[in-house]
Amino acid sequence: MIYKFCTETDTGLTRGNNEDSVAFDESTGLAVLADGMGGYNAGEVASSMATSLIKAEMGRWLAEAGGQAGPRDICRAMGICVDNANKAIFNAANANAQYTGMGTTLVVGVFQDDGLLLGHIGDSRCYRLRRGELTQITRDHSLLQEQIDAGLLTPQQAAMSMNKNLVTRALGVENAVMLELNECRVEDGDLYLMCSDGLSDMVSDAAIAEILAQQTSLAQRALNLIGAANQHGGRDNITALLIQAEAVQEKRGVISRLLGR
């Protein structure tokens, strides 16, 4: 399987700065997205630290592994890298009064062969479009999601709630954080979207699916997602990272081609 990556980010229509941060390494199949929180520019600092530290450390480990690491090893390495980033952000917040309380959500994925190892913290999401059907493959760590799980709210009521941004888990807020890990099988033609809540809060899943299914370039679809979020108010920073999976076509020998095999 080969993977193509494309990302777009936008400040939105109401924010003065962009606290989202995104990074990827196509050579190792690594993708990282973070949405920061905190006063002044602290959210921007936290998200930037998360993506840069995880990309550097995890990317180096994956490059050294050379594609030979199994899912268990990748999960262990991802957990260590995220824990190191968490401690770095937490310590920076404690050392600088301007950054007190800063933190960030996180989505990190490793696409290797026909598998995806996915980790997340908070309410930034990963979706998969497969044969026209959109599936959210992360579960928000948020107060709203807990209320839905407890039967206190329906998803429809949650969509209208004013408490969308109350996360129950974030990177860098405490000395330790729990990374939720999932392993997914990738199929030829799958399209994955990692995004901040500036997209998912502004654009319905149905509209996201419609844009992802367009027969345009990845770059154009990413721009269309950003545009849709801004058309619906653009109340937050908006980031979309697209990953397209395509099966490798094996080259046949000359004799096999001549014989039609």
Side-chain angles (χ1 to χ4, degrees):
M1 201 77 70
I2 59 173
Y3 296 96
K4 297 178 181 178
F5 294 71
C6 179
T7 188
E8 290 288 343
T9 188
D10 189 81
T11 304
L13 302 180
T14 64
R15 298 295 181 92
N17 64 320
N18 194 340
E19 296 189 332
D20 289 355
S21 182
V22 63
F24 65 85
D25 182 355
E26 203 162 90
S27 66
T28 59
L30 175 65
V32 192
L33 184 146
D35 178 359
M37 61 195 78
Y40 303 102
N41 293 324
E44 192 171 330
V45 171
S47 63
S48 179
M49 287 181 68
T51 56
S52 60
L53 290 171
I54 293 171
K55 181 188 176 185
E57 190 171 351
M58 191 71 194
R60 181 170 57 250
W61 185 89
L62 287 166
E64 291 173 354
Q68 300 304 308
R72 183 177 297 181
D73 293 328
I74 295 173
C75 285
R76 186 181 299 113
M78 186 182 292
I80 292 170
C81 291
V82 169
D83 184 59
N84 289 343
N86 182 76
K87 286 185 170 64
I89 296 168
F90 180 75
N91 290 337
N94 287 333
N96 190 327
Q98 189 176 3
Y99 299 152
T100 299
M102 73 176 177
T104 182
T105 67
L106 177 73
V107 182
V108 52
V110 175
F111 295 83
Q112 191 173 90
D113 299 326
D114 61 350
L116 164 62
L117 276 300
L118 183 69
H120 81 284
I121 297 167
D123 62 356
S124 291
R125 294 179 177 178
C126 183
Y127 292 90
R128 178 189 65 217
L129 185 74
R130 176 176 290 170
R131 295 186 288 275
E133 181 179 348
L134 187 73
T135 302
Q136 181 183 332
I137 56 177
T138 54
R139 177 181 168 279
D140 294 350
H141 301 136
S142 68
L143 178 61
L144 276 184
Q145 187 62 56
E146 289 186 356
Q147 291 175 325
I148 292 170
D149 293 344
L152 300 175
L153 289 177
T154 67
Q156 293 73 25
Q157 290 171 327
M160 305 300 293
S161 174
M162 301 299 292
N163 297 323
K164 288 185 177 181
N165 302 117
L166 298 178
V167 296
T168 56
R169 202 182 298 185
L171 191 73
V173 174
E174 297 179 346
N175 189 48
V177 67
M178 183 179 295
L179 177 71
E180 183 169 341
L181 285 161
N182 290 285
E183 183 177 356
C184 308
R185 184 172 179 81
V186 178
E187 294 185 7
D188 181 25
D190 281 357
L191 178 58
Y192 293 83
L193 164 66
M194 294 182 179
C195 67
S196 60
D197 64 350
L199 175 62
S200 56
D201 281 354
M202 293 288 99
V203 186
S204 69
D205 285 6
I208 289 175
E210 185 176 340
I211 293 171
L212 292 180
Q214 293 172 349
Q215 297 302 307
T216 58
S217 66
L218 284 185
Q220 187 59 57
R221 278 176 275 183
L223 286 171
N224 290 346
L225 289 167
I226 301 292
N230 279 327
Q231 286 171 12
H232 287 87
R235 291 193 297 270
D236 200 352
N237 308 141
I238 313 152
T239 301
L241 171 58
L242 298 178
I243 306 99
Q244 177 76 62
E246 295 180 3
V248 177
Q249 301 298 319
E250 293 185 9
K251 294 182 179 180
R252 296 179 297 165
V254 174
I255 296 177
S256 294
R257 291 201 301 271
L258 290 174
L259 295 177
R261 295 176 183 171

